[in-house]
Amino acid sequence: MSRLTHVKSGPYSPPAPVRELAAVSADGARLHVEVHGPEDGPAVVLVHGWTCSTAYWAAQIRDLAADHRVIAYDQRGHGRSPAHTTCTTDALADDLEAVLAATLEPDEKAVIVGHSMGGMTLIAASGRERLRDHAAAVLLCSTGSSRLVTESLVVPLRAGRLRTWLTRRILGARAPLGPVTPIARRILKYATMGPGSAPEMVEACARIVHACPRRVRHAWSHVLDALELDHAVRELTMPTAVIVGTADRMTPAVHARAMAAALPDCAGLTELPGIGHMSPIEAPELVSGQIRELAATYVRAELKEEA
């Protein structure tokens, strides 16, 4: 289980949940789940990315929990969810289904949001009945469905074998990240954030990412390297919006544009100028605003019809 390291104050410090529970996945993996906000509010489910945790969504939870029921969980091996021997996209989809079953009523609809590997989780689950039953709308945030290593811009070289080889070596490194130092912050900011990211944003991201155990980081890097989910994007039949930062080196805008073109019901593609891969932290108001808009359009409207 990862060390619980995050900032302790400010907009990126995780708020206390209304309640916590454990969801059990199909293979027995236990997942830490948090619920925030009023029980009768429109539901929002937040799925974080590689090397992150529920703490990653602190700004969105603070905003949305005022009038939404916000559900967030730690992916297996991340945050408070113990590591498991199985690391596959099918396992990610199983985990999401387990969380939806544990937190939503059988006929309850929600906006489901995935960042980076969290977005890949939603894509992997696109054909699952439980996702289709519960997802009124989906938001794919700073993510991709294939070619993650070959398209990455983390290594500042022309596209080709050398860049791909170096990127694979960097993202799949077994070395521990160590303490959060000034050098570590600069490296993380360069690789994952836009050049204008404020120091408090970099600090919040660095603490979360450095808390992920290296074995977990390494195991999931192989899954991301081999990712091939282009076919599954076309099975996301519910309204699906896409957000990407124009300065995203990890999953550059080429991925977002390809997904938006492939989606059966694209609810919009938003490209955020100067924003990097960590868009929910770098542009919290914009990401939260998109979630609110989806909830107002697709969840609240359904609640009114039922009333």
Side-chain angles (χ1 to χ4, degrees):
M1 192 179 301
S2 350
R3 296 163 290 169
L4 292 176
T5 306
H6 47 70
V7 294
K8 304 296 184 184
S9 61
Y12 301 111
S13 62
V18 173
R19 61 187 177 98
E20 299 175 318
L21 62 143
V24 181
S25 194
D27 61 2
R30 294 182 66 83
L31 307 162
H32 172 75
V33 184
E34 298 177 0
V35 181
H36 301 257
E39 284 294 327
D40 60 350
V44 173
V45 180
L46 304 175
V47 190
H48 72 73
W50 180 47
T51 73
C52 292
S53 67
T54 58
Y56 184 78
W57 297 109
Q60 281 68 48
I61 292 171
R62 286 183 181 281
D63 183 333
L64 297 169
D67 50 1
H68 293 69
R69 183 159 59 92
V70 183
I71 298 154
Y73 70 97
D74 287 323
Q75 301 265 31
R76 58 176 62 195
H78 296 71
R80 298 184 186 182
S81 295
H84 196 277
T85 54
T86 302
C87 296
T88 65
T89 54
D90 280 340
L92 293 176
D94 288 341
D95 294 352
L96 174 60
E97 284 199 296
V99 171
L100 297 178
T103 57
L104 300 177
E105 296 297 325
D107 59 348
E108 187 175 7
K109 298 292 186 179
V111 173
I112 307 182
V113 184
H115 171 261
S116 192
M117 192 172 81
M120 298 161 204
T121 300
L122 304 190
I123 297 170
S126 61
R128 302 290 184 96
E129 184 176 354
R130 186 160 278 124
L131 179 67
R132 293 186 174 187
D133 286 346
H134 288 297
V138 160
L139 176 59
L140 299 176
C141 195
S142 308
T143 191
S145 57
S146 68
R147 308 180 311 281
L148 299 182
V149 172
T150 57
E151 297 287 0
S152 170
L153 302 177
V154 170
V155 176
L157 295 176
R158 186 177 301 175
R161 291 184 179 179
L162 177 59
R163 190 180 80 177
T164 298
W165 182 82
L166 288 171
T167 303
R168 184 171 286 120
R169 285 285 187 145
I170 292 168
L171 298 184
R174 290 179 178 271
L177 295 181
V180 177
T181 64
I183 292 176
R185 292 187 194 95
R186 285 198 291 271
I187 292 171
L188 181 105
K189 180 179 179 179
Y190 167 79
T192 69
M193 306 183 79
S197 299
E200 61 268 23
M201 297 176 180
V202 179
E203 182 71 20
C205 286
R207 291 199 183 203
I208 293 167
V209 170
H210 279 240
C212 183
R214 62 175 173 170
R215 290 183 179 179
V216 172
R217 187 183 79 242
H218 178 71
W220 284 108
S221 73
H222 289 293
V223 177
L224 301 181
D225 186 2
L227 191 76
E228 181 48 75
L229 291 173
D230 289 349
H231 65 285
V233 174
R234 294 186 286 274
E235 295 188 54
L236 278 172
T237 56
M238 66 290 295
T240 302
V242 183
I243 286 180
V244 67
T246 61
D248 189 338
R249 291 187 171 96
M250 296 288 287
T251 54
V254 62
H255 294 293
R257 294 166 190 159
M259 291 187 300
L263 286 166
D265 187 0
C266 182
L269 167 62
T270 303
E271 298 191 25
L272 304 174
I275 299 299
H277 185 64
M278 300 303 205
S279 47
I281 286 180
E282 296 178 67
E285 296 88 357
L286 294 172
V287 173
S288 296
Q290 179 73 84
I291 297 170
R292 280 186 173 278
E293 183 177 336
L294 291 171
T297 303
Y298 298 105
V299 181
R300 288 187 183 275
E302 183 156 330
L303 291 174
K304 288 180 181 178
E305 288 180 9
E306 291 176 357

